[in-house]
Amino acid sequence: MVQKAKILLVDDRPENLLALEAILSALDQTLVRAASGEEALKALLTDDFAVILLDVQMPGMDGFETASHIKRRERTRDIPIIFLTAINHGPHHTFRGYAAGAVDYISKPFDPWVLRAKVSVFVDLYMKNCQLKEQAALLRLQLEAGDAARPALGGALLSELSARLASVEEQAEALTKQLDGADDSGAAATAAHLERKLAGLRRALEALRPGSD
């Protein structure tokens, strides 16, 4: 059974968190609330998240400072961050959001359909990455067994690994085509990174086939 992805919602106003939950509930993923930057950082210590929706205007640690802490941690630096703000301070404010590591910057009030679609893309990418890690773990076990494992891999196990990897490759290719031409550089860059990892894993798998060097 495929585990649900976790989405972190960070906002100091309960009504905003409730609105985000209403918008994203249709994605059928696990929505986790955080009422402050400090609370968000605490949640990120123990759980893995597909994407973070982060309010900019918060008392104490604001969204920019929270994002800075997230990007400094090795465990969390690659999690996509979508900034949400009720105040548009112009290009400089937007640039500060991207400089802090955001993949997108959305002003309130936002279109619920657009926000849900953007979050859905990052959830899909996260799920593909999870599948990729599973395949990589299986391959790593075989690689650690050394050359003696190659004859055993010539049969059903190698075919199963190849088929499962092909499924992930097909889904990743479809997602990349979906993003082609879309005005979403953050999602496109994440998809490209996923494709490079898939290509490396495919090369490793092919190297295990009998007769390969």
Side-chain angles (χ1 to χ4, degrees):
M1 175 179 279
V2 178
Q3 235 179 354
K4 291 184 178 182
K6 291 183 178 180
I7 302 169
L8 184 58
L9 314 177
V10 189
D11 199 304
D12 62 298
R13 298 172 66 95
E15 62 270 26
N16 289 344
L17 290 171
L18 190 63
L20 287 174
E21 288 175 337
I23 292 169
L24 300 176
S25 61
L27 297 179
D28 193 28
Q29 304 300 326
T30 302
L31 306 177
V32 178
R33 285 188 177 201
S36 66
E38 292 85 354
E39 193 173 323
L41 294 176
K42 184 177 180 181
L44 288 161
L45 287 174
T46 54
D47 289 325
D48 294 322
F49 292 91
V51 61
I52 302 169
L53 273 62
L54 180 58
D55 183 43
V56 172
Q57 308 293 329
M58 294 188 295
M61 185 185 295
D62 66 11
F64 295 132
E65 187 179 354
T66 303
S68 178
H69 282 289
I70 292 171
K71 293 303 177 181
R72 282 202 296 264
R73 293 178 179 177
E74 184 175 356
R75 174 187 171 91
T76 58
R77 64 178 53 158
D78 293 327
I79 302 176
I81 298 174
I82 298 176
F83 272 131
L84 305 175
T85 179
I87 304 174
N88 187 357
H89 291 291
H92 176 72
H93 201 252
T94 303
F95 175 77
R96 188 182 175 193
Y98 286 118
V103 297
D104 212 335
Y105 194 98
I106 302 176
S107 296
K108 303 173 185 176
F110 44 77
D111 186 329
W113 293 94
V114 171
L115 180 64
R116 186 160 53 239
K118 287 178 178 291
V119 172
S120 177
V121 168
F122 287 109
V123 167
D124 285 344
L125 287 169
Y126 173 81
M127 300 301 280
K128 302 300 181 294
N129 267 301
C130 287
Q131 291 177 321
L132 181 58
K133 287 177 182 178
E134 290 177 4
Q135 310 312 316
L138 287 172
L139 275 176
R140 193 175 298 113
L141 288 174
Q142 303 305 326
L143 287 170
E144 288 173 353
D147 291 339
R150 290 193 181 197
L153 285 171
L157 178 56
L158 183 57
S159 297
E160 172 66 15
L161 285 172
S162 182
R164 292 176 64 180
L165 180 57
S167 175
V168 180
E169 289 171 329
E170 183 178 346
Q171 294 173 55
E173 183 180 357
L175 188 56
T176 300
K177 288 180 179 178
Q178 176 186 333
L179 292 171
D180 188 29
D183 186 20
D184 198 335
S185 59
T190 306
H193 178 64
L194 175 62
E195 285 197 330
R196 289 194 296 272
K197 290 169 69 177
L198 280 167
L201 189 53
R202 172 59 68 182
R203 288 193 297 270
L205 180 60
E206 292 303 320
L208 291 173
R209 291 187 181 279
S212 63
D213 295 330

